[in-house]
Amino acid sequence: MTIAPIRVPDEWDDNGIILFEEFCAFIRTPQCTVRDWRRCGRGPTWHRFNGNGRLYVTVAELRRFLRGDR
């Protein structure tokens, strides 16, 4: 069995938005784990719509996260 790394499609615009739930599904990680990362200050940089809405990351931030850049 070969494990392939998760890759963001090249055609995705870096300014695109990925909601919290979509992010978790994309990286195949349970939401509770990603919430723990956020609480501990790990993982991607999250933003909220209007400062208090739903959590999201940009496609650029997703790419940075998958590369392992800090």
Side-chain angles (χ1 to χ4, degrees):
M1 177 167 92
T2 303
I3 299 175
I6 298 171
R7 249 183 106 260
V8 178
D10 292 334
E11 61 271 9
W12 285 17
D13 181 7
D14 279 349
N15 295 315
I17 290 175
I18 299 172
L19 297 175
F20 176 82
E21 298 82 3
E22 296 169 330
F23 174 86
C24 295
F26 189 81
I27 66 166
R28 301 178 209 125
T29 303
Q31 290 182 15
C32 60
T33 300
V34 177
R35 280 190 202 101
D36 286 342
W37 292 349
R38 185 167 178 266
R39 195 173 11 261
C40 295
R42 296 185 203 143
T45 301
W46 294 95
H47 305 279
R48 286 193 181 272
F49 289 106
N50 297 323
N52 61 2
R54 295 184 68 183
L55 287 170
Y56 71 91
V57 295
T58 62
V59 171
E61 181 64 14
L62 172 61
R63 285 190 172 111
R64 184 206 60 79
F65 172 75
L66 291 175
R67 281 192 312 262
D69 297 347
R70 288 200 164 244

